[in-house]
Amino acid sequence: MADMVNTSGASAVLGKFKKKPKIKEPKMTRKERNERFKKRLENLTPEEQAYLKRKRALEGVWPVVRAILVFSLCFIILYPLIFMVSTAFRPRAEMNDPTIMWIPKTFITSNITDCIKAMDFWNTLGNTLKLNIGCALLSVVTCAITGYGFARFKFKGKGILFGIVILMILVPAQIINIPQFLYFRYWDIFGIIEAIKGEPVNLINSPWTMYLPALTANGIRAGLFIFLFRQSFRGLPKELEDAAYLDGCSPLRTFVQIMVPNAASVFLTVFLFAIVWYWNDYYVSTTFFTDNTTIALALKNLNDSLRLTIFGNGNVSVSPRELIVWLEAGCLISIAPILVLYVVLQKYFTEGIAHSGLTGM
Amino acid sequence: MKKIHMSYEKKKGLYGYGFIALWFIGTLVFFISPVIQSIIFSFNEVKVEEGELAQTFVGWAKYQYAFGTDPNYRQYLVEMLQNTALKTPVILIFSLFVAIVINQNFRGRTFARAVFFLPVIIATGPVYAIITGDMSTNGSNEAAQFSTMFETDMVDQLLEFVGIYGFNDKFTEILTTLTADILNLVWNCGIQILIFLSALQNVSTSAKEAAMMEGATAWEFFWKITLPCVSPMILACLIYTIIDTFIDPTNKVMTLIVAKQTQWDFGLMSAMAWAYFAIVLVALGIIFLIIRNWIYYEVE
């Protein structure tokens, strides 16, 4: 019940958010407004007068305070990004110029092109996109199915099984990484592969280390996704399915034809988050990939690859202050795709979390 | 197929198993068995040998080593818990405040909301490391200088921004410690702000109108209406914040654990990780039990 209230409330407000009703007030000069206010006060008790005066003062001051607050907080959040853009396009020598705060004297793009070369950017981008979109799609589908199972069916051991889902959220990837690594290193299914090929398969460095967990709803942050789906499916009215069952629809078909279309926005949100988290992940991928095959990994190793490709020597010493221009440039091109995605689809990122997810805890 | 008599509920239950089957298989392979394996590691001396890991059972020795002998573990653990205890209320209050501000109607509200959530999208992994200047620069520690420069810049600009050039020293000191961390703070609040925002949007308009009619001040309104209404979300945010700081790979305990992993000391690493996990779990449980009594649920 709580979920339903939340969902409808949020969507109502978000709906209001989209189209702002414009109330046109007749324009008055400050003098006129003051006079009107005084007239209003005339017939009131002193207490009421004081209340109205206080309220008026507050209404006058608060927007200014609020504007300053919001502006400064936005500034703090955007500071690293502004800094990134500002440094990414300046020549390294100007890092040491104290007269330059934000706008460099000369504008160059060579840092960016250097980084593209050092990170082998286009190839890496292709790899990352392939891996990301594949894993994100698999995760969304499998987590949705699992979430639906937890949301709508009663079966023995459900409590314990859902407890495992919660544990999946809680246990950090770092703890279970080594055993996972061993599994992938000597991958085998009940000894079948060993019987055929004579030895287990080494999956390390193959994208299967990412696809397999995603395929079985165990990818990055899968616990959270299952949780999100469960919450949002629980928020949908039960009558929807009951009607379908009465008409002789099987649960699977009900899920595909009735529930999925109704939860479409959650699907999009989870998909977007899956893309973002797979994009940003470097911990899991460093364990399973030893080459720079994803953007996050390439960025993590940018330091070394820069030295090799640009200065032609792994041991060359560059002042860290000057190295910043390249690091920030690399950073910029690495987050650019995600940033564009966020700017275009901002609504779905925020709305989805507000709608479903944690709100019904 | 022979017709087996089965109740509708039972049939639905079977379908339930069907829906979670794929996940269950995956969990057994990719989650449960690694977890068990890692718990076993924590009671063993693990040595990396050609083609396998050699294990010798050592009982609680690894745990004893972690708490007794290891020079950093206990200290980091205490620091981390203190830090979380200090930071969590600040994060909660700050996000609630920001959510209330953003929930009001003003120009650029959509933009502000997008900006506040932005860190959630990009503030992970190497990007965050570069932004905060933590990126290791091949053994040279000068990168740290950049990081401090970054922070001092922030403080100066913020102080000038607010127009403060030196109150008494104590005050500036407090302000400095606060502002030095403000980047960290606002960069960690995205989800919480969003959760509070959606809770605030559910505060019933009738309550709001009634309060207006009675002449409640904004202050009274906050304490008597807003706070009770969002209290369930406070718990959600609290738990989220704690989990978030707990699994954050940049916190000190986590860094230590990962360092042990790169030194191939899997036994010790697992012991440290599980002890840490148990402590956080207990802390979460205690907080949950305490807070639960204070929460106001609207009667349905």
Side-chain angles (χ1 to χ4, degrees), chain A residues 222-281:
Chain A
L224 191 64
F225 294 151
I226 294 174
F227 188 81
L228 282 173
F229 273 121
R230 172 185 173 262
Q231 293 301 107
S232 63
F233 281 130
R234 264 168 41 139
L236 291 176
K238 227 174 157 155
E239 289 76 15
L240 275 178
E241 293 154 293
D242 289 341
Y245 288 150
L246 276 180
D247 290 342
C249 200
S250 74
L252 190 65
R253 210 171 135 209
T254 312
F255 173 66
V256 175
Q257 291 195 333
I258 314 273
M259 299 311 270
V260 173
N262 274 305
S265 75
V266 187
F267 274 79
L268 187 60
T269 305
V270 172
F271 178 66
L272 290 176
F273 273 101
I275 291 231
V276 168
W277 277 324
Y278 270 102
W279 184 277
N280 286 331
D281 165 74

Side-chain angles (χ1 to χ4, degrees), chain A residues 49 183 322:
Chain A
Q49 280 182 12
Y183 282 125
E322 292 179 7

Side-chain angles (χ1 to χ4, degrees), chain A residues 1-2 5-6 9-10 13-14 17 51 54 62 66 69-81 83-84 101-102 142 145-146 148-150 152-157 161 164-165 167-172 174-180 182-184 186-187 212-213 215-218 226 238 245 250-252 255 273 276-277 280 282-283 287 296 299-300 303-304 307 314 320-321 323-324 327-328 331 335 338-339 342 346 349-350 353-354 358-359 361, chain B residues 8-9 12-13 15-17 19-20 22-27 29-35 37-38 41 51-53 94 97-98 101 104-106 108-127 130-131 135-138 140 142-143 146 149-150 153-154 157-158 161 182-183 186-187 191 194-195 198-199 201-202 212 215-218 233 236 239-240 243-244 246-247 249 254 257-258 261 266 269 273-274 277 281 284 300:
Chain A
M1 190 61 206
V5 173
N6 278 342
V13 175
L14 286 163
F17 204 63
Y51 171 74
R54 241 184 306 148
W62 174 238
R66 183 176 60 199
L69 248 170
V70 170
F71 180 77
S72 54
L73 286 173
C74 283
F75 173 74
I76 294 168
I77 294 179
L78 292 178
Y79 183 91
L81 284 186
F83 186 80
M84 204 182 282
M101 249 315 277
W102 294 110
T142 50
I145 294 173
T146 314
Y148 183 65
F150 278 116
R152 277 297 203 257
F153 297 97
K154 276 184 204 140
F155 45 84
K156 257 187 202 162
L161 290 173
I164 296 176
V165 174
L167 268 187
M168 279 169 73
I169 304 177
L170 289 175
V171 175
Q174 282 85 342
I175 296 189
I176 56 173
N177 227 257
I178 297 301
Q180 273 185 340
L182 292 175
Y183 282 125
F184 286 125
Y186 305 104
W187 178 254
L212 277 176
L215 184 65
T216 55
N218 273 273
I226 294 174
K238 227 174 157 155
Y245 288 150
S250 74
L252 190 65
F255 173 66
F273 273 101
V276 168
W277 277 324
N280 286 331
Y282 70 104
Y283 187 79
T287 333
L299 184 62
K300 191 165 173 275
N303 228 320
D304 304 331
R307 282 158 206 273
R321 260 187 85 77
L323 203 62
I324 286 168
L327 289 181
E328 295 281 358
C331 225
I335 60 169
I338 286 292
L339 220 53
Y342 179 62
Q346 187 266 125
F349 276 97
T350 45
I353 289 283
L358 303 146
T359 40
M361 236 169 183
Chain B
Y8 173 68
E9 282 299 318
K12 266 194 87 179
Y15 267 110
Y17 286 122
F19 271 104
I20 63 160
L22 192 63
W23 163 80
F24 186 68
I25 295 167
T27 297
V29 178
F30 297 115
F31 183 71
I32 308 238
S33 76
V35 162
Q37 187 69 52
S38 142
F41 277 167
E52 59 166 351
L53 292 177
F94 179 77
F97 177 72
V98 170
V101 170
Q104 294 173 343
N105 232 332
F106 61 92
R109 174 176 124 140
T110 326
F111 175 75
R113 205 168 69 143
V115 169
F116 277 107
F117 196 64
L118 181 71
V120 180
I121 307 295
I122 55 173
T124 36
V127 175
I130 291 181
I131 284 172
M135 195 80 165
S136 64
T137 337
N138 264 14
S140 78
E142 284 172 78
F146 171 61
M149 181 197 82
F150 189 83
D153 258 359
M154 266 334 272
Q157 288 185 10
L158 227 125
F161 209 88
I182 199 153
L183 179 81
V186 288
W187 274 65
I191 297 264
L194 211 60
I195 295 175
S198 73
Q201 289 171 346
N202 289 330
M212 288 279 267
T217 58
M233 291 307 110
I239 291 177
Y240 178 84
I243 294 174
D244 201 43
F246 164 54
I247 59 174
M254 226 48 183
I257 290 170
V258 175
Q261 181 184 332
F266 297 151
M269 174 222 161
W274 285 111
F277 184 71
L281 216 56
L284 265 180
E300 282 168 20

Side-chain angles (χ1 to χ4, degrees), chain B residues 92-107:
Chain B
L92 286 185
I93 293 167
F94 179 77
S95 5
L96 183 57
F97 177 72
V98 170
I100 288 174
V101 170
I102 302 186
N103 196 32
Q104 294 173 343
N105 232 332
F106 61 92
R107 265 184 176 208

Side-chain angles (χ1 to χ4, degrees), chain B residues 3-300:
Chain B
K3 266 205 170 171
I4 306 164
H5 184 74
M6 202 186 269
S7 72
Y8 173 68
E9 282 299 318
K10 217 170 175 188
K11 234 190 241 170
K12 266 194 87 179
L14 279 186
Y15 267 110
Y17 286 122
F19 271 104
I20 63 160
L22 192 63
W23 163 80
F24 186 68
I25 295 167
T27 297
L28 279 185
V29 178
F30 297 115
F31 183 71
I32 308 238
S33 76
V35 162
I36 293 170
Q37 187 69 52
S38 142
I39 293 176
I40 295 173
F41 277 167
S42 72
F43 292 104
N44 279 289
E45 176 74 55
V46 185
K47 280 222 172 75
V48 185
E49 280 172 13
E50 186 73 40
E52 59 166 351
L53 292 177
Q55 299 174 24
T56 27
F57 185 75
V58 288
W60 291 95
K62 288 289 170 190
Y63 288 89
Q64 280 161 2
Y65 179 85
F67 283 100
T69 327
D70 192 89
N72 296 324
Y73 184 67
R74 221 170 46 186
Q75 182 202 340
Y76 286 174
L77 208 60
V78 172
E79 268 175 35
M80 193 256 159
L81 288 175
Q82 274 174 348
N83 236 328
T84 317
L86 280 175
K87 242 175 72 183
T88 311
V90 179
I91 287 183
L92 286 185
I93 293 167
F94 179 77
S95 5
L96 183 57
F97 177 72
V98 170
I100 288 174
V101 170
I102 302 186
N103 196 32
Q104 294 173 343
N105 232 332
F106 61 92
R107 265 184 176 208
R109 174 176 124 140
T110 326
F111 175 75
R113 205 168 69 143
V115 169
F116 277 107
F117 196 64
L118 181 71
V120 180
I121 307 295
I122 55 173
T124 36
V127 175
Y128 191 67
I130 291 181
I131 284 172
T132 48
D134 283 345
M135 195 80 165
S136 64
T137 337
N138 264 14
S140 78
N141 283 327
E142 284 172 78
Q145 274 179 356
F146 171 61
S147 146
T148 31
M149 181 197 82
F150 189 83
E151 275 171 11
T152 359
D153 258 359
M154 266 334 272
V155 178
D156 284 350
Q157 288 185 10
L158 227 125
L159 287 180
E160 279 171 35
F161 209 88
V162 194
I164 298 168
Y165 289 98
F167 261 102
N168 69 55
D169 287 344
K170 191 80 182 168
F171 182 73
T172 335
E173 201 180 294
I174 294 169
L175 209 68
T176 314
T177 42
L178 266 179
T179 48
D181 221 29
I182 199 153
L183 179 81
N184 238 318
L185 179 70
V186 288
W187 274 65
N188 279 316
C189 285
I191 297 264
Q192 287 90 330
I193 290 173
L194 211 60
I195 295 175
F196 278 135
L197 203 57
S198 73
L200 283 175
Q201 289 171 346
N202 289 330
V203 174
S204 69
T205 27
S206 55
K208 211 176 255 176
E209 277 160 11
M212 288 279 267
M213 296 284 285
E214 301 283 344
T217 58
W219 184 247
E220 283 165 343
F221 185 76
F222 171 76
W223 286 104
K224 303 238 161 90
I225 311 253
T226 313
L227 205 60
C229 278
V230 299
S231 63
M233 291 307 110
I234 293 179
L235 182 66
C237 279
L238 186 75
I239 291 177
Y240 178 84
T241 312
I242 294 173
I243 294 174
D244 201 43
T245 24
F246 164 54
I247 59 174
D248 174 19
T250 54
N251 84 38
K252 268 185 171 175
V253 185
M254 226 48 183
T255 330
L256 183 71
I257 290 170
V258 175
K260 287 286 177 270
Q261 181 184 332
T262 45
Q263 291 160 18
W264 305 100
D265 198 346
F266 297 151
L268 184 58
M269 174 222 161
S270 306
M272 281 179 172
W274 285 111
Y276 176 47
F277 184 71
I279 290 170
V280 174
L281 216 56
V282 169
L284 265 180
I286 293 171
I287 289 167
F288 183 76
L289 286 179
I290 295 174
I291 298 283
R292 205 172 50 168
N293 297 327
W294 291 358
I295 290 177
Y296 163 82
Y297 285 106
E298 213 168 323
V299 185
E300 282 168 20

